[in-house]
């Protein structure tokens, strides 16, 4: 079986990793220009191929047959070479979104669902939601229902983001605010990088049901793999693959008082897990071209904090890192979203008597007890888990690793 992915730019694709977990070791990426499509489809060395942006419609003229779903949606994301050599097009994104909706547990029959964006993915989402009995409204920048007349739809129970707004590397952007949707139950975002877009972070803060697009991506791959091999694959693999990918992409972030051991424990943890370690304080010094005491002396704490937020904005977007933060990063609430969007946050605790103060501008001017009293609730608000670091750094690193491995 020779299968792979056809698209224009595929450098960041998760699909090879997903198909590997589905049992297909080799899953090459075929980056082709539009003028190469016909020749590739007719003569390419593949038995099956997934198709992504921008070719889901463009491949159709070169196919011999379409499944009813692909015909209905006018989009193909899976092509199979049949035994006689003819090409059959399928759409497995439908099953992908159906699975995502089911995972959310939301029941939307008879309720209003807003679908943001009117591109290819929106089309699929609308078809699934209509089938589920929702009253579907597409919000399109230039459409009859747009972002300026959202007041018509404040009774929506579900919002689905089918735009690229908020996707890496444009993290932090959101297509709309959820503030005035009084009947909103849930938000689904087709984006999966970052794990929590700004829209999903807001949904989480408001206590709504939310899901990113990873389940859709994995579920469509599962159905594609079934078309490729002709063999059914258990539905249970979907959450398993999602969890494995989530873990692989997740950053592990250490917070805690200055001198509590974040850098030492972070380095050990990164080593144990085969990950890259980043010390945010060193990254700030590198960005500023000066040591931290000098930044404090010249720009004060506010100037330092602004630099720190800029660095965390870049680090928080990345995936699969171990990050040691500066002790005061929790004093800016906005840093929480930057760190939480792709990361799990560990509070490293150490008794105050054991904390060194040398070379740390704030620790030298503020009594540690006073600093700790102010920051303790903030560490608690940021942290997903707290770890005592009064023994060896190896012990603390191992506790973090175990907790991370054992909890979804
Ligand atoms: P697309 O065809 O480019 O459509 C995106 C739509 O979003 C556009 O038609 C546009 O609709 C709207 N849009 C684009 N830029 C915007 C902006 N700056 N502000 C507001 N709206 C904007 O893309 P697509 O293939 O439908 O994919 C949409 C998103 O879903 C992407 O992020 C993609 O990665 C994701 N996706 C995920 C999966 C998955 O498996 N999880 C599958 C497919 C797609 P209007 O002009 O009507 O506003």
């Amino acid at each position: 079986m020779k299968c792979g992915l056809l698209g224009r730019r595929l450098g960041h694709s998760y699909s090879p990793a997903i198909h590997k977990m589905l049992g297909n070791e080799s899953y090459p990426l075929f980056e082709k220009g539009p003028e190469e499509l016909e020749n590739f489809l007719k003569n390419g060395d593949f038995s099956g191929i997934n198709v992504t942006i921008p070719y889901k419609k463009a491949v159709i003229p070169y196919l011999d047959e379409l499944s009813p779903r692909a015909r209905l949606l006018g989009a193909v994301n899976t092509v199979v070479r049949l035994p006689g050599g003819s090409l059959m097009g399928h759409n497995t994104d439908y099953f992908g979104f159906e699975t995502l909706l089911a995972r959310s547990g939301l029941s939307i029959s008879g309720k209003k669902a807003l679908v943001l964006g009117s591109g290819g993915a929106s089309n699929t989402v609308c078809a699934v939601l209509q089938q589920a009995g929702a009253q579907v409204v597409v919000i399109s920048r230039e459409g009859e229902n747009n972002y300026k007349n959202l007041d018509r739809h404040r009774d929506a129970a579900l919002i689905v983001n089918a735009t690229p707004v908020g996707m890496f590397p444009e993290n932090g952007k959101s297509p709309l605010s959820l503030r005035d949707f009084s009947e909103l139950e849930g938000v689904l975002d087709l984006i999966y990088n970052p794990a929590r877009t700004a829209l999903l972070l807001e949904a989480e803060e408001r206590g709504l049901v939310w899901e990113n697009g990873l389940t859709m991506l994995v579920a469509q791959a599962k159905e594609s793999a079934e078309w490729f091999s002709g063999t059914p694959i258990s539905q249970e693999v979907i959450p398993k693959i999602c969890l494995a990918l989530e873990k692989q992409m997740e950053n592990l972030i250490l917070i805690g008082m200055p001198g509590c051991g974040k850098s030492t424990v972070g380095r050990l943890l990164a080593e144990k897990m085969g990950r890259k370690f980043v010390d945010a304080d060193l990254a700030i010094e590198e960005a500023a071209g000066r040591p931290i005491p000098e930044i404090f002396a010249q720009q004060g704490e506010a100037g330092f904090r602004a630099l720190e937020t800029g660095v965390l904005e870049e680090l928080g977007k990345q995936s699969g890192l171990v990050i040691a933060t500066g002790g005061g990063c929790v004093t800016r609430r906005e840093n929480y979203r930057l760190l939480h969007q792709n990361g799990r946050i560990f509070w490293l605790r150490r008794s105050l008597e054991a904390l060194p103060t040398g070379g740390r501008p704030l620790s030298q001017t503020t009594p540690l007890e006073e600093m700790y009293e102010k920051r303790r609730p903030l560490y608690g608000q940021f942290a997903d888990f707290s770890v005592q670091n009064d023994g060896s750094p190896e012990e603390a690193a191992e506790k973090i690793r175990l907790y991370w491995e054992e909890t979804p």
Side-chain angles (χ1 to χ4, degrees), residues 53 56 93 117-122 139-141 147 162-165 167 190-192 213-214 216-217 220:
I53 300 170
K56 290 185 186 182
D93 283 333
S118 64
S122 165
I139 306 296
S140 167
R141 286 167 300 176
Y147 297 91
T163 80
V165 180
M167 183 164 70
L190 303 200
I191 294 170
Y192 43 85
L214 190 60
M216 177 173 175
L217 184 75
Q220 64 77 27

Side-chain angles (χ1 to χ4, degrees), residues 73 91 93-94 96-98 100-101 108 113-117 119-132 134 136-138 158-163 188-190 216:
L73 295 167
N91 185 306
D93 283 333
Y94 186 100
F97 184 70
E98 211 174 35
L100 174 61
L101 182 63
I108 40 102
L114 303 187
V115 180
L116 312 182
S122 165
N123 216 12
T124 306
V125 168
C126 289
V128 173
L129 292 175
Q130 268 149 7
Q131 182 64 31
V136 182
V137 178
V138 172
L158 171 67
I159 293 179
V160 182
N161 180 31
T163 80
L188 306 178
D189 199 326
L190 303 200
M216 177 173 175

Side-chain angles (χ1 to χ4, degrees), residues 134-359:
Q135 182 198 335
V136 182
V137 178
V138 172
I139 306 296
S140 167
R141 286 167 300 176
E142 306 299 329
E144 182 198 340
N145 293 296
N146 55 60
Y147 297 91
K148 294 194 185 94
N149 59 29
L150 284 172
D151 277 345
R152 298 172 176 184
H153 302 300
R154 296 296 178 193
D155 55 341
L158 171 67
I159 293 179
V160 182
N161 180 31
T163 80
V165 180
M167 183 164 70
F168 177 87
E170 301 289 323
N171 303 44
K173 295 189 176 153
S174 185
L176 48 69
S177 159
L178 302 176
R179 196 182 49 232
D180 296 319
F181 292 94
S182 54
E183 291 173 45
L184 197 58
E185 295 173 31
V187 178
L188 306 178
D189 199 326
L190 303 200
I191 294 170
Y192 43 85
N193 182 13
R196 300 173 189 85
T197 56
L199 186 70
L200 293 183
L201 287 165
E202 187 185 352
E204 186 182 52
E205 283 160 17
R206 292 182 181 281
L208 301 167
V209 171
W210 62 271
E211 289 287 342
N212 68 27
L214 190 60
T215 296
M216 177 173 175
L217 184 75
V218 173
Q220 64 77 27
K222 180 200 102 102
E223 200 192 14
S224 292
E226 288 173 329
W227 285 121
F228 293 154
S229 66
T231 312
I233 300 172
S234 159
Q235 193 75 354
E236 285 165 21
V237 303
I238 298 172
K240 280 191 191 146
I241 294 178
C242 285
L243 186 61
L245 280 173
E246 274 158 14
K247 293 234 169 191
Q248 206 175 307
M249 304 315 290
E250 193 172 51
N251 293 322
L252 282 85
I253 296 157
L254 304 186
I255 59 169
M257 285 287 279
C260 70
K262 298 182 293 285
S263 302
T264 311
V265 172
R267 260 193 204 93
L268 284 168
L269 183 61
E271 212 171 280
K272 270 175 188 283
M273 300 177 75
R275 288 177 171 232
K276 186 177 167 196
F277 171 72
V278 183
D279 187 321
D281 277 349
L282 293 183
I284 295 166
E285 291 188 332
E286 209 169 285
R290 282 162 297 158
I292 288 177
E294 218 173 293
I295 303 174
F296 265 83
Q298 291 167 359
Q299 293 173 252
E301 185 177 355
F304 171 78
R305 295 279 167 237
L307 280 172
E308 181 177 52
T309 295
V311 163
L312 296 182
E313 193 172 337
E314 284 312 308
L315 292 180
K317 274 182 191 183
Q318 294 181 39
S319 300
L321 299 177
V322 174
I323 304 172
T325 59
C329 79
V330 294
T331 58
R332 276 195 165 199
R333 186 67 202 163
E334 70 220 74
N335 292 341
Y336 176 69
R337 280 182 161 214
L338 301 178
L339 298 173
H340 180 56
Q341 64 177 323
N342 260 341
R344 203 166 324 183
I345 305 178
F346 296 87
W347 175 11
L348 205 56
R349 308 173 82 150
R350 191 167 199 191
S351 46
L352 290 190
E353 319 73 81
L355 298 180
T357 55

